[in-house]
Structure formats: structure tokens, C-alpha cells
Amino acid sequence: MRAWLVIAASTFAVVGFAGGAAAQRDAASAYYLVRPDLRLCPSPICGGAWVRRVNHATTRCVDGSEARACYVASTTGVPEALWSARAGSVLVRGRIVAARIDGFPDLGRLAAVAAWRPAGQREPRGTTFRVIDNGVRCVTSPCFSLTADTLETTRRRTLSDIDLAVVGATASDLRRAERAIAAGGLLVTGTVRTVPDAGPAGAGRALRATQIWLRPS
């Protein structure tokens, strides 16, 4: 296990990424956290999903309004297996478009081009990043060998560690996550913090994850 993976009897998980072809098909797509709507009222005004854009205070709904989260009557492109029995969030890249349901002109639909399931049992808290091994190697610590890009922004920072102690994923997901960081990137939600006196080279910078996102096998 690489030194930059900080694990305390816990875990972590992998992510894959929407390929370049998917991004080219839909340049206007964005990343959203999506959870089922469990309200008990007639479809289609209930029973769809709530959609919240990551790393944004508000989300633009299909009618042009801004809200913390938007209701959509349906989702397409999200595999059924990703929806958890505990009704947690999934991470989706896609667009909110008109649902085109007769009699309900203001309802939207989430058209997904890629989707990821949560690797742990917790709801995501914090900022969502794409983390990748940047190839830096050091003779001392801390070593800033990871790069974290904040999704939906141009912000980039280097990290010396990822702390996955509270995520709670399986050993299999842990192995896949390590491969993902090395090969193409891992989607992680959490908080970046400074670690004083992390080693002989001084302070480090760690991402404390609350959730990691895994593409379906």
C-alpha cells in the first residue's frame, strides 16, 4: 500500500471517469448528487429524484430557477443497481432537461452520461474532488504526490495524504481505489486540512474523505 493512503481499519473505493467521448457528446453536462424522492404523492410530481450540483450553493432547475436542489420526475442513464436500498445519494454527470410529460410542462428529467455509486455508508459532506497521482516522489515526508482538482471549478491543489478512515468501504473497493488514483483519478468528497509537523519536511495537506465514488463493475 502506498504511503499516501491513510487508512484506519476502514476503507475506500474506486472511481472511474466518464470518457472523453461522453464529455464531447455533452459539453454542457455537470456533476450532480442525486437521491430518490421518497414522498408519498402521485407520480410524476413525486417519486422521481432530487438533484444537487456538486460544489455549488444552488442548482439551476429546468424552469430556469435556482434552488438548493431540483426535483426531476425521472432519470435516464443511471443503472438501477446504483440506487441503494437505504436511499443514499449517487454521483451523476449529466444534464437537467425537460421531461416532456403531458400535463406537466414544468417537470425536468436528469439525462446522465456517467454515474457512480457511494463506496461507504455515509452521506457525502464537503467538497468533491478528482484526485490523481501526480508522479512526484520524495526522499522525505510529507510528499505532495497527489493532485486534487475541485470538480466544477478550475481550482487545483496538491496533497500529501488521503484520510479514508470514516468512509467505510470494502477491501476490494480499497484495491480498486488505489489503482484508480494511479491510473486516471478517484472522485472523493471531503475536506482538505493542513497537518502540522507531518514529517521532517514540515506541514502536510490531507484530504479527509466522507465519501468515495465507484463506477459499477
Side-chain angles (χ1 to χ4, degrees):
M1 187 65 62
R2 296 287 301 279
W4 40 258
L5 297 177
V6 179
I7 304 166
S10 88
T11 80
F12 73 73
V14 65
V15 247
F17 281 85
Q24 292 171 6
R25 284 198 305 271
D26 195 344
S29 65
Y31 288 91
Y32 297 94
L33 289 173
V34 185
R35 58 180 174 84
D37 175 36
L38 302 180
R39 296 175 298 167
L40 298 177
C41 60
S43 177
I45 60 174
C46 293
W50 291 98
V51 179
R52 177 166 60 90
R53 191 172 179 183
V54 303
N55 300 339
H56 283 72
T58 62
T59 302
R60 182 175 293 275
C61 304
V62 71
D63 63 358
S65 64
E66 296 280 342
R68 173 63 174 165
C70 301
Y71 174 75
V72 294
S74 62
T75 62
T76 55
V78 181
E80 187 67 27
L82 263 65
W83 295 111
S84 168
R86 66 182 182 278
S89 297
V90 298
L91 182 65
V92 170
R93 183 173 182 178
R95 291 192 306 142
I96 299 175
V97 299
R100 303 189 185 281
I101 301 173
D102 289 343
F104 299 92
D106 295 332
L107 290 181
R109 168 176 64 87
L110 179 64
V113 296
W116 297 260
R117 67 168 175 82
Q121 301 293 315
R122 302 166 61 95
E123 275 296 297
R125 304 290 182 195
T127 303
T128 302
F129 304 90
R130 177 179 181 261
V131 180
I132 191 167
D133 185 342
N134 60 29
V136 172
R137 298 296 179 261
C138 309
V139 297
T140 187
S141 63
C143 183
F144 289 83
S145 59
L146 301 173
T147 296
D149 291 316
T150 305
L151 295 187
E152 303 287 317
T153 77
T154 59
R155 187 175 185 184
R156 170 175 289 185
R157 67 185 78 182
T158 55
L159 306 172
S160 54
D161 291 297
I162 301 179
D163 181 355
L164 304 170
V166 301
V167 174
T170 66
S172 175
D173 285 347
L174 178 85
R175 291 189 294 270
R176 293 177 62 191
E178 184 178 7
R179 292 195 298 268
I181 291 174
L186 181 69
L187 294 182
V188 182
T189 301
T191 303
V192 174
R193 60 187 179 87
T194 299
V195 183
D197 302 318
R205 189 181 301 116
L207 171 56
R208 187 174 190 269
T210 59
Q211 191 55 268
I212 300 173
W213 304 97
L214 175 68
R215 287 295 298 272
S217 301

